[in-house]
Amino acid sequence: MREKIRRKEGKSLAELREKRQQDEMKKLADERRRQKIEDEKARRAVLDRIKQDRAAKQAERESEKKETVTNTNTVEVKQPATPAAPKEYTECRLQLRLPTGQPVVNTFKSEETLGDVAAFIRDTAGLETFG
């Protein structure tokens, strides 16, 4: 008799556990579905915002074109800006890291060669073999 009661209680506990697991699985599935729907809504909202921004920019460009056309009809055409003369650089600043990890910084003239840079490093760092 006790054995039958114990078995019955064991079955009911197992059924309760299984039902609880199924309920949890359903809740997780519902949560995933809800999250997926929310993500899709957010994605659509972002895409709509991008579309609106593009349309606004396009409208702005068109209005600028119209203004330019009306301005060119009434006002002299603007001359394109002359490009600035290229800069003449006479110096170069190099920072090199020695094998010890110590940085070495020096400014070299533009006429100096890499051999001069190597000689500077050899003299400064006291390296006998460099290069």
Side-chain angles (χ1 to χ4, degrees):
M1 189 71 159
R2 287 184 184 171
E3 185 64 25
K4 287 183 180 181
I5 294 172
R6 187 186 65 78
R7 284 184 188 173
K8 221 182 222 188
E9 288 176 356
K11 283 183 181 179
S12 66
L13 284 175
E15 288 173 358
L16 286 175
R17 282 188 202 127
E18 187 176 325
K19 183 173 172 72
R20 187 174 355 119
Q21 284 180 343
Q22 288 176 355
D23 289 344
E24 288 177 11
M25 294 291 281
K26 285 180 183 179
K27 285 180 185 178
L28 287 174
D30 289 342
E31 179 65 25
R32 285 184 191 143
R33 266 189 238 106
R34 187 185 59 77
Q35 185 65 34
K36 189 175 182 180
I37 291 169
E38 287 178 6
D39 289 347
E40 184 62 29
K41 285 181 184 178
R43 182 177 171 270
R44 285 185 189 147
V46 168
L47 291 175
D48 289 342
R49 179 67 180 158
I50 290 171
K51 187 185 265 185
Q52 290 172 355
D53 288 346
R54 285 183 182 164
K57 286 181 182 179
Q58 182 66 26
E60 186 177 312
R61 278 189 234 120
E62 289 176 6
S63 67
E64 287 176 2
K65 284 182 183 178
K66 288 179 183 177
E67 288 176 9
T68 305
V69 169
T70 57
N71 287 343
T72 56
N73 291 337
T74 58
V75 181
E76 295 179 18
V77 177
K78 295 181 180 179
Q79 295 295 328
T82 57
K87 292 185 176 183
E88 292 291 326
Y89 295 102
T90 58
E91 294 181 335
C92 172
R93 183 175 180 168
L94 294 178
Q95 177 177 354
L96 305 164
R97 193 161 307 276
L98 299 176
T100 61
Q102 176 187 6
V104 176
V105 180
N106 194 26
T107 303
F108 298 95
K109 296 203 181 285
S110 60
E111 298 85 30
E112 293 186 52
T113 64
L114 286 177
D116 296 331
V117 174
F120 169 78
I121 294 171
R122 198 176 307 116
D123 296 340
T124 302
L127 297 174
E128 292 180 17
T129 58
F130 180 78

